[in-house]
Amino acid sequence: MKPVAFDYARPRTIADALELLDARPGAKILAGGQTLGPMLNLRLVQPELLIDITRITDLITVTETDDGVAIGACVTHASIEDGAIGGIASGHLDQVAAGIAYRAVRTRGTIGGSLTHADPAADWFAALLAFGAELEIAGTTGTRRIALDDFVKGAMETDLGPDELVTAVHIRKCGREARHGYHKICRKTGEFAEAIGAVTVEEKTGRFRLVAAGGSHAPVVFTDPSSLFRTADPLDVRSFDVDMTAAALRDAGMNADDYDLRLRAVAMQRAVKEAAQR
Amino acid sequence: MKKQGVGARLVRKEDDRYMRGRGQFVGDIRRAGMKDVAFLRSPVAHARITSINIPEDIQANVVTAADMASVKPITAVTSLPGFKPSNQSILAEGKVRHVGEMIALCIAPTRAEAEDLVARVEVDFEDLPPVHDMLQAREKDSPLIHEGWSDNIFLETLVDYDMADAEREAAVKVSREFSTARQCMSPIEGRGAIAEWDHRLEQLTLHTSTQMPHIVRSGLAECLGLDHGSIRVVAPDVGGGFGYKGILLPEEVCLAWAAMQFGHPVRWLEDRRENLTASANCREHHYVMTAYADKDGKLLGIDAEATVDSGAYSSYPFAACLEAAQVASILPGVYDFPHYRCHTFSAATNKPPILPYRGVARTGVCFAMELMIDAVARELQLEPTDVRLKNLVRPEQMPFDNITHKHFDSGDYPEALRQAIKAIDLKAVRKRQKKGETDGRLLGVGFAMYCEQAAHGTSVYAGWGIPMVPGHEQANARLTPDGGLELRIGAHSHGQGLETTLSQVGHEVLGIPHEKIKVVHGDTAYTPYSTGTWGSRCMVMSGGAVAEACDQLASRARGIAAKMLQCKPGEITLKDGRAHGPSGELSIEEVAHVWYRRPQDLPEDVDPAGLEVTSGYKPERDTGTFSYAAHAVTVAVDPETGEVEILDYVIVEDGGVLVNPMIVDGQIYGGAAQGIGTALYEEMIFDSEAQPLASTLSDYLLPGPTEVPSIRVFHMETPSPYTRFGVKGIGEGGAIAPPAAITNAINDALKNLGAELAVSPVTPRRIVEAIAAVRRSDAA
Ligand SMILES: Cc1cc2nc3c(=O)[nH]c(=O)nc-3n(C[C@H](O)[C@H](O)[C@H](O)COP(=O)(O)OP(=O)(O)OC[C@H]3O[C@@H](n4cnc5c(N)ncnc54)[C@H](O)[C@@H]3O)c2cc1C
């Protein structure tokens, strides 16, 4: 379990990083290395060059924007856990961060690395889909912004081009009355999720996003409560129907067995319950 | 002086270097000119090797079976009638029989470069049908793992103690099928070895992470055709063994051969993927069992058919059938009942050989028997603890010869259970259970008991006839010129704290302060022969041997002191490190100083034997000590998700006289943590191609700090009548009962739903599916 020999570069600017990425087809971006490291050791990836982007200042800063915050791609789970994004959504996301892996992993793992890897069992993926987050992407031809829903093409599949870099995650500030819920079911502390339910409900705007994730199946986002709640009221926990939801997940194309579908539905139910209690 | 002898809660001496990161493990050792080894391992479970293509430029650095024709395969036979031996080639010859089997050895300056070589060697296979499951292996038309065998059974055994009588007399009959998953024992340090040839001594030196250096030496000598004297095996610090390091590895043989062949030191450090997918396999049992009882829950008999998945080869020295054959003799557990039948099969499959793991065979046996007791209790609507109390061997029966002729030396089994009932507060749990939990979870309480034969010796192992039969255990004791004590034992300490407990024994006999006692272990060049550390034997065997050697040393010291004090040796008493005579006294230090440094002060007729003794020990009976315990646990089960939380865990255990109760507590905590792994997490799944499905610790789940509750341990201390100081072996016990106790607790929680689990680990999926199955059958 040792990687093949590779070169290593640590550019200081996004432009330098992109240039290297463009010039060396066998190059791979290295952020926290918490996913890439094991993949290197198992020789699942055999890059010629690793481009370490964690010293690029723009990528490790959190900036307030007009409608929310922009989190640099290399901001770590640990710094979000410790309050780096300024208590957006009453610290809801800080808690999501705290539930990722163990502190040692959180100290290195980054929000951008996690979203780029697009593991359906990953926490940011589910939590930020519920927020309707957007990604900022830089390439040699310019930058673009894309909704996370569109960025993710499936389990471990994204819209990212080979010479592109995720630079930031944009999170829109929700209204005061917005409610969030997050429930992760995992075999033991620090494990990836077997099932995740993540929800955002804004009563005023009628905005509703309920995410089913976890395991190995691509996540599903529901924006219409009527196939999940008998009363179609997203805050009426008692009318949330686990069996209906499991069926809705199957209808949405989630190709999982009964146990997995139900487990997701239960996680969703518990996320809704948490949101309703806030 | 604070109490330092037998019974003292002394802080472990070895922890100072461990806690400061100064341990010396194989991976810490460097040698000039040393190169690293990586093995090309089979990606398929069952196939003929049709060709191996090694590129020209690396041929000098790649070894295959063709190069090692002079090396003998590992063959671990037993004398049990009908046993079929297997030959485990060091590197695969013609055929591979499990994923991970070694095909080639590649040498390079670093491990990464050695892995580069591995990637360049191409092997062509002709696939053979794999046998991935032990019951499949037993089928008539199953593919054969070994040519020339008539079936896939290493060994079949049958005992029958008038089972038919029980069938006639019983009021109730309860049948169940149980199984325990294949597991991987997971010491923090994997295996690893450095082999080198010493030209001065004309000796092969192997530093290896082993529990049994002397046995490894014998195994190497046999495979390599060397004299024992040409081999030195050193086990430096070893980061956990648990049985995984109680075997001769083909890697060790291969490395030794390579060191001799290449003329420079070679090193191999097992990585976690090799550990999980190629080697560290254990525990996989299957039982079909029927209990016969009267209407009050008194057992009349147990009828069982047990199969153990032994994997592809018989490993050295414990052999492929020890696990299943032991099942037959220990399944009755702590109970006394009149009839018994047990039919066992050690089945060969295309999986790595099954190896001993803490609580060898006992964990599976305890799971089957203790789940059965609860099943009987549910059938009769009795409290499971009442059924246990009706059937336990009683203290007044001790020493007790059970139905399979196991000789239980001492103890009060019902009292252990009563204390556990009290500690877990069974009444309060039942009350709370009736009320129900506000969060919808279901509360359950479970119990399990076992007794653990330990330190059993010649009379037991001669019967198995495996390559290693323990005889008298020896120790060497030497007074140093400054009055310190050096103790040398052939066993090895790797977490058991023997450097501390044997010092305590030395102190107990000689009164020398423990700081001045040094325990030397794990090196065939320095220590007397020993079969090593396994079977919870060291406190009894090495402890007894050290006491024996120290006794004799005391008598030698008394002889010298008598000369110095001008009295008879019989007039000298040794106390607190001083020799007291009728007319004066001396410290042991003074005695040693005069013997070594000022022999001119001693008369000519002094005994020339001096202050160094090697002596041996066997308990008065070598059929083993029997420590035992009652485990009790309460759990909360979430019926929606299958999540299990352990709310309370109690262990009442009797390990005889405890030399160091703090170390015993540590052994119990560690063992119980592993037992929790067996109960709830650990499972190495093989698919129908016999491919292992977990290759990292993210797929093979181990319990961590947050999964192991604070365990409350209570001790009883019934001395063994047969051993020095009355000690019993306790090292494995903690790992035996948790799967049974926890599963019983889960089944107790689910009993109103009618669901019952009989497979370990009890995963959330298994729980939810068991509940769903009941619902489906209710609906139908
Ligand atoms: C023991 C352990 C437990 C874990 N448990 C959890 C858990 O419970 N929940 C959870 O969500 N995660 C978990 N993780 C994963 C962890 O959160 C990782 O940190 C994360 O998935 C990847 O982030 P990284 O910064 O380490 O990325 P890297 O490992 O450095 O990179 C991952 C991939 O993304 C690419 N990449 C990284 N950054 C960018 C970028 N800005 N632009 C383009 N490409 C990029 C890399 O090339 C690589 O392909 C765990 C990891 C470990 C080791």
Side-chain angles (χ1 to χ4, degrees):
Chain A
M1 282 181 37
K2 302 281 181 209
V4 296
F6 53 79
D7 293 333
Y8 173 83
R10 193 197 271 167
R12 297 287 163 161
T13 66
I14 292 173
D16 288 352
L18 288 171
E19 197 176 304
L20 278 169
L21 201 53
D22 193 38
R24 297 277 295 266
K28 191 108 189 108
I29 299 288
L30 172 71
Q34 296 306 293
T35 295
L36 191 55
M39 288 168 74
L40 287 169
N41 284 342
L42 292 165
R43 299 196 169 194
L44 295 173
V45 289
Q46 307 194 358
E48 284 168 28
L49 169 70
L50 282 189
I51 306 171
D52 182 343
I53 57 170
T54 56
R55 297 298 158 91
I56 299 173
T57 318
D58 286 347
L59 299 185
I60 50 178
T61 42
V62 177
T63 337
E64 291 233 11
T65 60
D66 294 343
D67 60 346
V69 307
I71 307 168
C74 290
V75 171
T76 63
H77 313 328
S79 55
I80 296 174
E81 175 183 15
D82 295 346
I85 61 174
I88 262 210
S90 316
H92 177 71
L93 289 176
D94 307 9
Q95 274 170 34
V96 170
I100 299 174
Y102 324 96
R103 183 74 189 188
V105 173
R106 298 198 287 274
T107 302
R108 288 188 171 274
T110 67
I111 190 167
S114 179
L115 292 174
T116 310
H117 189 57
D119 186 337
D123 291 271
W124 283 135
F125 202 18
L128 295 176
L129 274 173
F131 269 73
E134 290 181 352
L135 294 186
E136 193 173 310
I137 293 173
T140 32
T141 53
T143 63
R144 61 186 175 115
R145 230 168 119 151
I146 182 172
L148 194 52
D149 305 58
D150 301 328
F151 176 73
V152 177
K153 295 290 176 204
M156 316 261 190
E157 277 176 59
T158 68
D159 185 51
L160 196 71
D163 50 3
E164 286 186 316
L165 205 62
V166 173
T167 52
V169 185
H170 288 269
I171 299 174
R172 197 178 56 87
K173 230 181 231 136
C174 302
R176 273 249 177 132
E177 82 297 344
R179 295 161 182 270
H180 307 281
Y182 189 79
H183 192 83
K184 174 180 183 177
I185 297 174
C186 57
R187 292 288 306 277
K188 55 175 214 168
T189 306
E191 278 313 300
F192 276 105
E194 304 283 308
I196 296 176
V199 67
T200 299
V201 186
E202 284 174 275
E203 271 173 293
K204 234 185 237 158
T205 59
R207 204 165 108 98
F208 169 77
R209 289 177 72 82
L210 177 52
V211 181
S216 56
H217 303 282
V220 174
V221 184
F222 292 94
T223 51
D224 172 7
S226 64
S227 59
L228 319 173
F229 293 81
R230 288 186 302 269
T231 59
D233 171 1
L235 291 174
D236 180 7
V237 183
R238 256 172 293 166
S239 91
F240 183 92
D241 192 305
V242 169
D243 293 320
M244 261 168 73
T245 304
L249 284 167
R250 182 172 288 128
D251 292 345
M254 191 174 270
N255 183 21
D257 68 7
D258 285 350
Y259 169 80
D260 274 333
L261 290 174
R262 262 195 76 89
L263 200 65
R264 277 170 188 69
V266 170
M268 292 159 77
Q269 182 184 39
R270 292 182 184 184
V272 167
K273 191 169 168 194
E274 182 188 308
Q277 280 167 357
R278 290 221 164 182
Chain B
M1 204 184 320
K2 234 180 104 195
K3 189 170 159 60
Q4 299 186 349
V6 171
R9 297 182 76 92
L10 223 58
V11 172
R12 296 204 312 185
K13 290 154 88 95
E14 44 269 76
D15 284 348
D16 188 70
R17 69 176 187 277
Y18 292 147
M19 302 309 284
R20 292 178 206 282
R22 290 181 191 144
Q24 273 272 315
F25 300 87
V26 169
D28 296 310
I29 298 171
R30 296 283 177 279
R31 286 288 182 271
M34 180 174 81
K35 294 200 173 166
D36 266 321
V37 161
F39 290 103
L40 167 63
R41 293 177 182 276
S42 176
V44 292
H46 199 193
R48 242 180 279 288
I49 299 173
T50 51
S51 69
I52 303 178
N53 294 314
I54 308 165
E56 278 284 329
D57 61 313
I58 62 169
Q59 278 181 3
N61 300 317
V62 179
V63 175
T64 64
D67 304 305
M68 291 178 65
S70 63
V71 179
K72 291 204 195 74
I74 295 174
T75 23
V77 296
T78 85
S79 62
L80 295 169
F83 178 79
K84 299 191 193 81
S86 66
N87 283 335
Q88 182 179 20
S89 302
I90 305 305
L91 294 175
E93 248 187 296
K95 200 178 151 176
V96 288
R97 293 184 181 83
H98 66 83
V99 169
E101 188 165 351
M102 301 187 298
I103 296 172
L105 167 147
C106 300
I107 296 191
T110 65
R111 172 69 183 244
E113 290 162 289
E115 288 184 20
D116 291 346
L117 300 187
V118 168
R120 293 185 58 204
V121 178
E122 278 172 26
V123 186
D124 292 321
F125 298 100
E126 180 192 317
D127 286 340
L128 296 167
V131 180
H132 74 283
D133 176 76
M134 58 179 139
L135 299 182
Q136 176 204 2
R138 280 182 51 192
E139 282 165 14
K140 282 271 161 322
D141 57 350
S142 169
L144 292 179
I145 315 286
H146 295 283
E147 297 68 31
W149 285 25
S150 50
D151 54 26
N152 287 320
I153 307 302
F154 276 107
L155 183 74
E156 181 179 342
T157 69
L158 176 66
V159 292
D160 188 339
Y161 301 95
D162 305 322
M163 196 60 220
D165 294 352
E167 289 167 20
R168 262 196 313 277
E169 295 158 18
V172 288
K173 172 180 165 188
V174 180
S175 295
R176 289 290 186 277
E177 188 175 343
F178 302 111
S179 62
T180 58
R182 186 163 271 246
Q183 276 183 248
C184 294
M185 51 295 239
S186 309
I188 289 181
E189 181 207 26
R191 297 287 311 235
I194 297 173
E196 60 199 305
W197 183 260
D198 184 322
H199 287 280
R200 180 175 66 87
L201 299 172
E202 293 197 7
Q203 195 177 52
L204 172 83
T205 305
L206 186 79
H207 281 82
T208 184
S209 185
T210 186
Q211 301 169 217
M212 36 174 59
H214 293 272
I215 298 300
V216 169
R217 174 157 95 152
S218 294
L220 286 178
E222 285 161 25
C223 288
L224 296 169
L226 292 176
D227 298 335
H228 278 60
S230 307
I231 302 173
R232 175 183 172 201
V233 176
V234 186
D237 277 329
V238 169
F242 312 118
Y244 182 38
K245 297 174 182 173
I247 49 162
L248 172 71
L249 287 179
E251 286 88 345
E252 288 168 326
V253 180
C254 205
L255 231 61
W257 181 87
M260 297 192 295
Q261 203 65 23
F262 285 83
H264 56 70
V266 287
R267 173 176 78 167
W268 165 72
L269 297 178
E270 179 186 62
D271 67 28
R272 195 56 68 179
R273 184 162 51 159
E274 292 177 293
N275 170 262
L276 287 170
T277 60
S279 296
N281 284 230
C282 56
R283 285 268 199 270
E284 196 173 4
H285 292 200
H286 176 267
Y287 298 83
V288 178
M289 233 163 116
T290 302
Y292 297 87
D294 71 13
K295 60 181 185 352
D296 300 323
K298 177 88 188 104
L299 288 175
L300 297 174
I302 293 282
D303 188 4
E305 182 178 297
T307 311
V308 171
D309 189 331
S310 299
Y313 299 108
S314 177
S315 317
Y316 188 99
F318 288 102
C321 59
L322 199 59
E323 187 111 355
Q326 274 200 82
V327 166
S329 65
I330 62 178
L331 186 61
V334 281
Y335 303 108
D336 178 18
F337 51 83
H339 304 292
Y340 176 56
R341 177 162 57 206
C342 189
H343 197 173
T344 79
F345 298 85
S346 303
T349 59
N350 288 118
K351 299 185 201 168
I354 197 158
L355 305 175
Y357 180 36
R358 196 175 198 169
V360 186
R362 293 160 175 73
T363 304
V365 158
C366 179
F367 186 75
M369 190 65 200
E370 292 297 298
L371 261 62
M372 187 47 108
I373 296 278
D374 272 38
V376 169
R378 274 194 296 277
E379 178 76 25
L380 294 170
Q381 301 192 347
L382 296 170
E383 185 66 77
T385 46
D386 290 342
V387 174
R388 287 189 172 79
L389 286 168
K390 275 205 188 87
N391 291 290
L392 287 170
V393 173
R394 296 182 312 277
E396 65 273 16
Q397 293 173 288
M398 295 288 182
F400 176 75
D401 289 310
N402 87 343
I403 190 155
T404 61
H405 311 297
K406 292 282 170 191
H407 182 80
F408 298 175
D409 54 348
S410 64
D412 187 342
Y413 298 176
E415 177 59 18
L417 180 56
R418 283 190 293 267
Q419 288 192 20
I421 293 170
K422 197 164 155 227
I424 203 87
D425 202 347
L426 180 59
K427 259 199 206 126
V429 176
R430 291 287 178 229
K431 227 162 128 193
R432 179 170 157 188
Q433 222 172 10
K434 266 207 195 100
K435 245 175 46 204
E437 303 296 294
T438 50
D439 58 8
R441 293 194 299 176
L442 303 169
L443 198 72
V445 59
F447 291 80
M449 295 186 72
Y450 68 87
C451 62
E452 180 197 4
Q453 186 181 22
H456 31 325
T458 319
S459 63
V460 178
Y461 279 86
W464 302 113
I466 59 173
M468 171 205 79
V469 177
H472 282 85
E473 187 76 11
Q474 290 183 310
N476 171 281
R478 175 201 279 171
L479 272 182
T480 56
D482 57 357
L485 178 66
E486 288 175 349
L487 299 171
R488 293 181 162 73
I489 58 153
H492 187 268
S493 179
H494 38 274
Q496 296 85 353
L498 289 174
E499 292 176 29
T500 307
T501 49
L502 294 180
S503 300
Q504 290 180 254
V505 170
H507 172 83
E508 183 73 29
V509 178
L510 291 168
I512 296 172
H514 80 89
E515 298 88 350
K516 292 191 74 172
I517 304 179
K518 192 170 175 54
V519 177
V520 178
H521 59 96
D523 187 333
T524 57
Y526 291 148
T527 64
Y529 179 88
S530 164
T531 56
T533 301
W534 53 273
S536 301
R537 65 191 296 276
C538 289
M539 201 60 251
V540 175
M541 299 305 295
S542 302
V546 161
E548 193 65 36
C550 288
D551 280 344
Q552 292 187 24
L553 198 56
S555 127
R556 301 260 186 96
R558 273 199 302 270
I560 295 167
K563 295 286 181 212
M564 292 165 69
L565 294 170
Q566 296 180 338
C567 63
K568 296 209 177 69
E571 292 174 312
I572 302 275
T573 50
L574 270 184
K575 207 171 167 280
D576 294 337
R578 301 187 73 78
H580 301 264
S583 57
E585 55 162 316
L586 287 166
S587 68
I588 283 196
E589 203 174 318
E590 285 167 293
V591 174
H593 182 78
V594 167
W595 170 259
Y596 289 108
R597 310 287 295 272
R598 298 191 57 80
Q600 63 269 39
D601 293 352
L602 292 168
E604 271 309 309
D605 65 347
V606 67
D607 179 359
L611 293 174
E612 177 165 350
V613 174
T614 300
S615 189
Y617 170 80
K618 238 189 205 187
E620 280 164 48
R621 261 192 86 118
D622 72 354
T623 50
T625 60
F626 284 77
S627 54
Y628 58 94
H631 286 217
V633 55
T634 51
V635 299
V637 181
D638 185 329
E640 292 283 353
T641 63
E643 290 168 298
V644 174
E645 186 189 351
I646 297 175
L647 303 176
D648 192 12
Y649 204 118
V650 166
I651 299 176
V652 179
E653 88 100 36
D654 187 344
V657 171
L658 305 182
V659 174
N660 184 326
M662 179 156 55
I663 288 181
V664 172
D665 285 347
Q667 291 291 309
I668 294 173
Y669 295 144
Q674 289 172 316
I676 288 169
T678 305
L680 297 173
Y681 301 102
E682 297 184 44
E683 179 168 26
M684 175 53 87
I685 301 173
F686 285 78
D687 69 11
S688 59
E689 297 297 309
Q691 285 285 342
L693 296 188
S695 61
T696 72
L697 293 180
S698 61
D699 300 315
Y700 186 82
L701 293 189
L702 291 167
T706 47
E707 286 70 51
V708 180
S710 313
I711 294 165
R712 299 188 287 136
V713 178
F714 302 85
H715 294 292
M716 292 166 57
E717 283 198 48
T718 315
S720 170
Y722 306 126
T723 64
R724 188 75 189 253
F725 308 115
V727 299
K728 296 185 177 189
I730 52 90
E732 297 169 87
I736 296 173
I742 292 169
T743 309
N744 277 339
I746 292 168
N747 285 340
D748 185 57
L750 301 181
K751 67 173 183 266
N752 291 338
L753 299 177
E756 186 180 308
L757 279 300
V759 176
S760 78
V762 185
T763 59
R765 177 183 278 271
R766 290 196 171 110
I767 290 175
V768 170
E769 286 180 346
I771 296 170
V774 175
R775 291 206 173 119
R776 269 198 306 277
S777 78
D778 286 354

